[in-house]
Coordinates of all heavy atoms in Angstrom, one line a residue:
L21 N -136.2 1.0 44.0 CA -136.5 0.0 45.1 C -136.2 -1.4 44.6 O -135.7 -2.2 45.4 CB -138.0 0.1 45.4 CG -138.6 -0.7 46.5 CD1 -137.9 -0.3 47.8 CD2 -140.1 -0.5 46.7
V32 N -129.4 -12.9 51.8 CA -129.9 -14.1 52.5 C -129.4 -15.3 51.7 O -128.9 -16.2 52.4 CB -131.5 -14.1 52.4 CG1 -132.0 -15.4 52.9 CG2 -132.1 -12.9 53.2
Q36 N -127.0 -18.4 53.0 CA -127.4 -19.8 52.9 C -126.5 -20.6 52.0 O -126.7 -21.8 51.7 CB -128.8 -19.9 52.2 CG -129.9 -19.4 53.1 CD -131.3 -19.3 52.4 OE1 -131.3 -19.2 51.1 NE2 -132.4 -19.2 53.1
G37 N -125.4 -20.0 51.5 CA -124.5 -20.6 50.7 C -125.0 -20.9 49.2 O -124.3 -21.7 48.5
I39 N -125.3 -18.5 46.9 CA -124.4 -17.7 46.0 C -123.1 -17.6 46.8 O -123.0 -17.7 48.0 CB -125.0 -16.4 45.6 CG1 -125.3 -15.5 46.8 CG2 -126.1 -16.5 44.6 CD1 -125.4 -14.1 46.5
P67 N -121.4 -0.7 32.5 CA -121.5 -0.7 34.0 C -120.3 -1.4 34.6 O -119.5 -2.1 33.9 CB -122.8 -1.5 34.3 CG -122.9 -2.4 33.1 CD -122.2 -1.8 31.9
R78 N -132.8 -1.6 32.9 CA -132.9 -2.0 31.5 C -133.9 -3.2 31.4 O -134.0 -3.9 30.3 CB -131.6 -2.4 30.9 CG -130.8 -1.1 30.5 CD -131.3 -0.5 29.1 NE -130.9 0.8 28.9 CZ -129.9 1.3 28.2 NH1 -129.0 0.4 27.7 NH2 -129.7 2.5 28.0
T83 N -135.2 -14.0 36.2 CA -134.8 -15.4 36.1 C -133.4 -15.5 35.5 O -132.5 -16.2 36.0 CB -135.7 -16.3 35.3 OG1 -136.1 -15.6 34.2 CG2 -136.9 -16.8 36.1
L85 N -131.1 -13.2 35.4 CA -130.1 -12.6 36.4 C -129.7 -13.6 37.5 O -128.6 -13.8 37.8 CB -130.6 -11.3 36.9 CG -130.7 -10.1 35.9 CD1 -131.4 -8.9 36.6 CD2 -129.4 -9.7 35.4
W89 N -126.1 -15.4 38.6 CA -125.4 -15.3 39.9 C -125.3 -16.6 40.6 O -124.5 -16.8 41.5 CB -126.1 -14.3 40.8 CG -126.1 -12.9 40.2 CD1 -125.0 -12.3 39.6 CD2 -127.1 -12.0 40.2 NE1 -125.4 -11.1 39.2 CE2 -126.7 -10.8 39.5 CE3 -128.5 -12.0 40.6 CZ2 -127.5 -9.7 39.3 CZ3 -129.3 -10.9 40.4 CH2 -128.8 -9.8 39.7
D92 N -125.5 -20.9 36.7 CA -126.2 -21.9 35.9 C -125.6 -22.0 34.5 O -125.1 -20.9 34.0 CB -127.7 -21.5 35.8 CG -128.6 -22.5 35.2 OD1 -128.6 -22.7 33.9 OD2 -129.3 -23.2 36.0
F106 N -120.8 -9.8 32.7 CA -121.7 -10.2 31.7 C -122.5 -9.0 31.2 O -122.7 -8.1 31.9 CB -122.6 -11.3 32.2 CG -123.6 -10.9 33.1 CD1 -124.9 -10.6 32.8 CD2 -123.3 -10.7 34.5 CE1 -125.9 -10.2 33.7 CE2 -124.2 -10.3 35.4 CZ -125.5 -10.0 35.0
K109 N -126.6 -7.9 24.7 CA -126.7 -7.1 23.5 C -128.2 -6.5 23.3 O -128.4 -5.4 23.0 CB -126.4 -7.9 22.3 CG -125.9 -7.2 21.1 CD -125.4 -8.1 20.0 CE -125.1 -7.2 18.8 NZ -124.7 -8.1 17.7
V113 N -126.3 -3.4 27.2 CA -125.5 -3.4 28.4 C -124.2 -4.2 28.1 O -124.3 -5.4 27.8 CB -126.2 -3.9 29.6 CG1 -125.3 -4.0 30.8 CG2 -127.4 -3.1 30.0
G115 N -120.8 -6.2 29.1 CA -120.3 -6.9 30.2 C -119.0 -6.2 30.7 O -118.2 -5.7 29.8
I117 N -115.3 -5.3 32.1 CA -113.9 -5.9 32.0 C -113.4 -5.8 33.5 O -113.5 -4.7 34.1 CB -113.0 -5.1 31.1 CG1 -113.6 -5.1 29.7 CG2 -111.6 -5.6 31.1 CD1 -113.0 -4.2 28.7
A127 N -116.6 2.9 25.7 CA -117.6 3.9 25.5 C -117.2 4.9 24.4 O -118.0 5.4 23.7 CB -117.9 4.6 26.8
A131 N -119.3 5.6 21.0 CA -119.7 6.9 20.6 C -119.2 7.3 19.3 O -119.9 8.0 18.5 CB -119.2 7.9 21.7
A133 N -118.7 5.2 16.8 CA -119.6 4.5 15.9 C -120.9 5.3 15.7 O -121.4 5.5 14.6 CB -119.9 3.1 16.4
A145 N -120.4 5.4 30.4 CA -119.5 4.5 31.2 C -119.4 4.9 32.6 O -119.3 6.1 33.0 CB -118.1 4.5 30.5
H158 N -107.3 8.2 32.0 CA -106.7 9.3 31.3 C -106.9 9.1 29.8 O -107.3 10.0 29.1 CB -105.2 9.4 31.7 CG -104.4 10.2 30.7 ND1 -104.6 11.6 30.6 CD2 -103.5 9.8 29.8 CE1 -103.8 12.0 29.7 NE2 -103.1 11.0 29.1
E216 N -131.8 14.4 41.3 CA -130.6 15.1 40.8 C -129.8 14.3 39.8 O -129.4 14.9 38.8 CB -129.7 15.5 42.0 CG -128.7 16.6 41.7 CD -128.0 17.1 43.0 OE1 -128.6 17.1 44.1 OE2 -126.8 17.5 42.9
K222 N -130.0 13.6 32.2 CA -130.8 13.9 31.0 C -130.3 15.2 30.3 O -130.1 15.2 29.1 CB -132.3 14.2 31.5 CG -133.2 13.0 31.2 CD -134.7 13.5 31.2 CE -135.6 12.3 30.7 NZ -135.3 11.7 29.5
H247 N -116.1 -4.2 50.5 CA -115.8 -4.2 49.1 C -116.6 -5.3 48.4 O -117.2 -5.1 47.4 CB -114.3 -4.4 48.9 CG -113.9 -4.7 47.5 ND1 -114.1 -3.8 46.5 CD2 -113.4 -5.8 47.0 CE1 -113.6 -4.3 45.4 NE2 -113.2 -5.6 45.6
M261 N -120.3 5.8 58.5 CA -121.4 4.9 58.2 C -122.7 5.5 58.7 O -123.7 5.5 58.1 CB -121.2 3.5 58.9 CG -120.2 2.7 58.3 SD -120.9 2.2 56.7 CE -119.7 1.0 56.2
W264 N -123.7 8.6 56.6 CA -124.2 8.3 55.3 C -125.5 7.4 55.3 O -126.3 7.5 54.4 CB -123.2 7.6 54.4 CG -122.2 8.6 53.9 CD1 -121.0 9.0 54.4 CD2 -122.4 9.3 52.6 NE1 -120.4 10.0 53.6 CE2 -121.2 10.2 52.5 CE3 -123.3 9.4 51.6 CZ2 -121.1 11.0 51.4 CZ3 -123.2 10.2 50.6 CH2 -122.1 11.1 50.5
D290 N -147.8 -1.1 49.8 CA -148.3 -2.0 48.7 C -147.2 -2.3 47.6 O -147.1 -3.4 47.2 CB -149.5 -1.3 48.0 CG -150.8 -1.4 48.7 OD1 -150.8 -2.2 49.7 OD2 -151.7 -0.7 48.4
R292 N -144.0 -2.2 48.0 CA -143.0 -3.1 48.6 C -143.5 -4.5 48.6 O -142.8 -5.5 48.3 CB -142.6 -2.6 50.0 CG -141.7 -1.4 49.9 CD -141.3 -1.0 51.3 NE -140.3 0.1 51.3 CZ -139.0 -0.1 51.4 NH1 -138.5 -1.3 51.5 NH2 -138.2 0.9 51.4

Side-chain angles (χ1 to χ4, degrees):
L21 188 59
V32 174
Q36 292 172 341
I39 55 160
R78 282 279 161 98
T83 39
L85 291 175
W89 299 317
D92 193 279
F106 69 99
K109 203 171 172 186
V113 175
I117 299 172
H158 164 70
E216 194 170 329
K222 259 201 172 306
H247 168 65
M261 286 292 188
W264 281 92
D290 278 351
R292 283 179 174 269

